[in-house]
Amino acid sequence: MSQSGRVKMADVAREAGVSVATVSKVVNGRWGVSAATVERVLAVVGDLGYEASLGASSLRSHRTNVLGVLLAEFEPFSTELLKGVSEAVGHTDFELLAFSGGRSGGGVGWERRSLARLGGSLVDGAIVVTPTVVDAGNGIPVVAVDPHTGPSEVPTVDSDNLAGAMSAVEHLIGLGHRRIAHLAGRDDLESARLREEGFRRAMAAAGLAVDESLVRVGGYRAESADAVVREMLTGADRPTAVFAANDLTAIHTMAVAAELGLRVPDDLSVVGFDNVPESALTDPGLTTVAQPLHEMGRRAVEVLVELLQDGADGEPAHVRLPTQLVVRQSCAAPPR
Amino acid sequence: MSQSGRVKMADVAREAGVSVATVSKVVNGRWGVSAATVERVLAVVGDLGYEASLGASSLRSHRTNVLGVLLAEFEPFSTELLKGVSEAVGHTDFELLAFSGGRSGGGVGWERRSLARLGGSLVDGAIVVTPTVVDAGNGIPVVAVDPHTGPSEVPTVDSDNLAGAMSAVEHLIGLGHRRIAHLAGRDDLESARLREEGFRRAMAAAGLAVDESLVRVGGYRAESADAVVREMLTGADRPTAVFAANDLTAIHTMAVAAELGLRVPDDLSVVGFDNVPESALTDPGLTTVAQPLHEMGRRAVEVLVELLQDGADGEPAHVRLPTQLVVRQSCAAPPR
DNA sequence: CTGAAAGCGCTAACAG
DNA sequence: CTGTTAGCGCTTTCAG
């Protein structure tokens, strides 16, 4: 039947002998079409396999029943989150659209760009993952997961980064470590700032001084951390343990250590943060602070859907979930 | 500056004192605009933070520089693939859009629906993940990953399911197993069919008869496999080993075994297929057949981009990548 | 070099 | 109940 290109509403209309307006009404279940017509049109729709163009209908109706997830790139953190989001969305009748705009790693501002490109038409609401700047949305409801600025005027979902970081460092201290390094995220990320803060508090609580030369910014990506890690591990007085701000850089730390001939955990202990599945794939398995990533995704959907239904009444929600230390094999007592 | 809703091209035009047509030309880098005007418009664009609406521009131009990934839901298999896709797309100047249409698990036809909704406007080309029916695209280039029908008129990317399955079963046989069950996918999935075929060939090669009561369809999801697994493991003459058609059902098999008081691998050996990161998270770790998921995603992008640039000249590409057995701790010699 | 006008495919008032 | 008439925000001729 359908010969070239996509089937459009006009094709259905012609075939069914009605106007496009009528087809539109039928397709959208609007009132005021005779049962006979509805049936005929639906038959043709099925026949031709017609499906409305998301772009076109959204342009006009500003209601698409599609939820958007905006992210810088599809890496372990955001894909884990997506699993939770996907599961939760499956219980609603929304469709799900994940968008990664701009070039990988996204120059700053990807969240604004993406929001502008999709918002106001394609998606009814959006979940932005790890945004560094949140514009209170672009006319559409937005919830931020693990945002830059920490709780603000836009609803957020995150985990208890401070307590999580403390538990990780306490674990190292408990094993006997004194010379502990922190491979920090970036100052402009709230989660990273809190993890560093947790590191410092745990150290202070144990009466340990922080050697500032061992607190270095590695970002959240392997590439950005590489040079810093090498330097840290080849330095004269290298640390006996490293607390990395996330799993990706922790895993990279282990890789660099191996390359340098250091055994983990015998020569160097490593702790990460996130508990992405990849952290269990390393050898030895990475001890890390688990964030309930799936749950965070589910909660974000919950908050967003509620916003969509009830509107933004009152204070924005700020959901904070607990973290938990997952002990694997990457930590041991320090070498003597 | 921007007060309500999104900034649109008309706003930029007004502010810059030119027509929308001119703004459009500038924004799209078209020829024939004076340097002075270009500069002025660009300044306003930056100022107002203007970003073209994907929906609107795609509607008119049929070129969006966005690649689509269509999937039934965001589960481990497709998200691993996405990581590879994302990485590869990062090296191009395309943006990436992953869409999961319809309700979770998607009634059949989700691939057609999604393609119709996005194709012809929103995306320039699409990668469909595990489609059960491939319509040769909806006017746009399409490449299928791990498709239903096996190599066909649409380009495909998959892995060597037959050899992979054989290696898994040979591993079990090598350990001394004779009574091996196969938790099959579904007959209408090419990959599942080939895995079953591999199972049978390996058994035959070893001179072992297949007990047909131990070849049961579990689908690719935990829920669909649950009842079948329970029945299999509680039967009178239960198998000493199970080769599941994918990791998700293998993992579920281990869970059910644990629930029934069976120890893995002492009482029951289990092998999976896919090697999604989750397979390393189980206790004991799951022995499984690795598919190069990231690589498959990368290759799919490669094929798609080429299609987009050079058009579909000649035979459709069919990329088949090798699999590899990953031995963890879920298999041992059968109990005597 | 610039702007006016005509749609892309669809939905939302309105008339008939 | 049904069709006609306007656009949504943008790109693209085609005159000026």
Side-chain angles (χ1 to χ4, degrees):
Chain A
M1 292 294 116
S2 67
Q3 29 178 356
S4 75
R6 25 178 294 100
V7 182
K8 50 193 72 159
M9 197 173 268
D11 299 326
V12 176
R14 189 171 350 93
E15 193 79 13
V18 295
S19 71
V20 293
T22 301
V23 176
S24 173
K25 283 170 192 151
V26 172
V27 168
N28 295 291
R30 294 273 177 286
W31 248 61
V33 184
S34 75
T37 308
V38 169
E39 196 176 344
R40 183 152 33 96
V41 171
L42 251 25
V44 176
V45 165
D47 245 43
L48 266 42
Y50 170 77
E51 210 66 54
S53 152
L54 183 55
S57 50
S58 74
L59 187 53
R60 193 62 229 257
S61 73
H62 287 192
R63 230 285 158 149
T64 58
N65 251 272
V66 176
L67 260 30
V69 176
L70 276 29
L71 28 81
E73 67 184 311
F74 292 82
E75 27 67 44
F77 179 89
S78 37
T79 50
E80 281 314 298
L81 207 72
L82 261 177
K83 290 175 191 168
V85 169
S86 181
E87 194 206 309
V89 169
H91 297 316
T92 72
D93 57 352
F94 283 101
E95 302 186 292
L96 185 54
L97 163 14
F99 184 75
S100 136
R103 302 190 63 99
S104 109
V108 296
W110 61 267
E111 51 279 276
R112 251 192 30 67
R113 272 176 40 77
S114 298
L115 210 45
R117 278 174 78 65
L118 303 194
S121 41
L122 285 184
V123 298
D124 292 345
I127 294 171
V128 292
V129 182
T130 319
T132 42
V133 41
V134 186
D135 270 6
N138 202 277
I140 59 169
V142 166
V143 10
V145 173
D146 200 1
H148 163 59
T149 29
S152 68
E153 82 242 56
V154 0
T156 59
V157 174
D158 63 12
S159 70
D160 194 341
N161 288 291
L162 184 66
M166 289 182 66
S167 70
V169 178
E170 280 159 8
H171 177 65
L172 290 172
I173 294 173
L175 287 169
H177 291 273
R178 296 288 169 265
R179 196 161 169 68
I180 305 174
H182 178 46
L183 187 57
R186 297 187 330 234
D187 260 10
D188 62 339
L189 283 169
E190 180 71 358
S191 61
R193 225 186 41 64
L194 286 170
R195 291 172 200 177
E196 179 174 337
E197 174 70 17
F199 165 73
R200 290 182 185 282
R201 285 209 202 168
M203 291 292 275
L208 295 173
V210 170
D211 179 342
E212 293 300 333
S213 73
L214 292 184
V215 178
R216 306 290 300 275
V217 173
Y220 274 159
R221 314 180 71 204
E223 302 89 81
S224 53
D226 186 77
V228 167
V229 171
R230 297 203 121 74
E231 203 178 311
M232 215 174 225
L233 296 187
T234 50
D237 194 12
R238 64 174 163 73
T240 62
V242 176
F243 167 45
N246 75 344
D247 283 351
L248 248 31
T249 54
I251 290 170
H252 191 67
T253 298
M254 288 176 65
V256 171
E259 215 179 285
L260 296 175
L262 294 173
R263 291 162 308 159
V264 173
D266 310 272
D267 301 323
L268 182 76
S269 288
V270 179
V271 188
F273 204 111
D274 282 351
N275 194 34
V276 294
E278 279 79 353
S279 63
L281 287 172
T282 54
D283 181 27
L286 178 69
T287 289
T288 188
V289 179
Q291 294 196 71
L293 265 13
H294 295 190
E295 175 72 7
M296 287 166 72
R298 270 182 249 122
R299 297 297 289 274
V301 171
E302 227 167 73
V303 172
L304 184 56
V305 168
E306 188 159 342
L307 224 51
L308 246 21
Q309 288 172 342
D310 308 348
D313 53 333
E315 289 299 290
H318 291 303
V319 178
R320 170 154 299 164
L321 300 169
T323 55
Q324 187 177 3
L325 186 71
V326 173
V327 177
R328 295 205 181 89
Q329 301 84 39
S330 64
C331 297
R336 40 155 289 111
Chain B
M1 293 291 115
S2 67
Q3 30 177 358
S4 77
R6 26 179 293 103
V7 181
K8 48 193 73 160
M9 195 174 269
D11 300 326
V12 176
R14 189 171 351 92
E15 193 78 13
V18 295
S19 70
V20 293
T22 302
V23 176
S24 173
K25 283 169 191 151
V26 171
V27 168
N28 295 292
R30 293 275 176 283
W31 248 62
V33 184
S34 75
T37 306
V38 169
E39 195 175 345
R40 184 151 34 93
V41 171
L42 251 25
V44 176
V45 164
D47 246 40
L48 266 41
Y50 170 77
E51 210 66 54
S53 152
L54 183 55
S57 49
S58 75
L59 187 53
R60 193 62 226 261
S61 73
H62 287 192
R63 228 287 157 147
T64 58
N65 251 272
V66 175
L67 260 31
V69 177
L70 275 29
L71 29 81
E73 67 184 312
F74 292 82
E75 28 67 44
F77 179 89
S78 36
T79 50
E80 282 313 299
L81 207 73
L82 260 177
K83 290 175 191 169
V85 169
S86 181
E87 195 207 309
V89 168
H91 297 315
T92 72
D93 57 353
F94 283 101
E95 301 186 292
L96 185 54
L97 164 14
F99 185 75
S100 135
R103 303 190 62 99
S104 107
V108 298
W110 61 267
E111 51 279 276
R112 251 192 28 67
R113 272 178 37 78
S114 298
L115 210 45
R117 279 175 75 68
L118 304 194
S121 42
L122 285 184
V123 299
D124 292 345
I127 295 170
V128 292
V129 183
T130 319
T132 42
V133 40
V134 187
D135 269 6
N138 201 276
I140 59 170
V142 165
V143 12
V145 173
D146 201 0
H148 165 57
T149 28
S152 68
E153 82 243 54
V154 359
T156 59
V157 174
D158 63 12
S159 70
D160 194 342
N161 288 292
L162 184 67
M166 290 183 66
S167 70
V169 178
E170 282 160 5
H171 177 65
L172 291 172
I173 294 173
L175 287 170
H177 290 273
R178 296 288 168 269
R179 196 160 168 69
I180 305 174
H182 178 47
L183 188 55
R186 298 186 330 232
D187 260 11
D188 61 339
L189 282 169
E190 180 70 357
S191 60
R193 225 186 40 64
L194 285 169
R195 290 171 201 178
E196 178 174 337
E197 174 70 17
F199 165 73
R200 292 183 184 282
R201 285 210 201 166
M203 292 292 275
L208 294 174
V210 170
D211 179 342
E212 294 300 334
S213 72
L214 293 184
V215 178
R216 306 290 300 274
V217 173
Y220 274 159
R221 312 181 72 204
E223 302 89 82
S224 54
D226 186 77
V228 168
V229 172
R230 296 202 122 74
E231 202 179 313
M232 214 174 224
L233 297 187
T234 51
D237 194 12
R238 65 174 163 72
T240 62
V242 176
F243 167 46
N246 75 343
D247 282 351
L248 248 31
T249 55
I251 290 171
H252 190 68
T253 298
M254 288 176 65
V256 171
E259 214 179 283
L260 296 175
L262 294 174
R263 291 163 306 160
V264 173
D266 310 273
D267 300 323
L268 182 76
S269 289
V270 179
V271 189
F273 204 111
D274 282 351
N275 193 34
V276 294
E278 278 79 353
S279 62
L281 287 172
T282 54
D283 180 27
L286 179 69
T287 289
T288 188
V289 179
Q291 294 197 68
L293 265 13
H294 295 190
E295 174 74 7
M296 286 165 73
R298 270 183 250 122
R299 296 297 289 274
V301 171
E302 227 168 73
V303 172
L304 184 56
V305 168
E306 188 159 341
L307 223 51
L308 246 20
Q309 289 172 341
D310 308 348
D313 52 332
E315 288 299 291
H318 292 304
V319 178
R320 170 153 298 165
L321 300 170
T323 56
Q324 187 179 2
L325 185 71
V326 174
V327 177
R328 296 206 182 89
Q329 301 83 41
S330 64
C331 297
R336 40 157 289 111

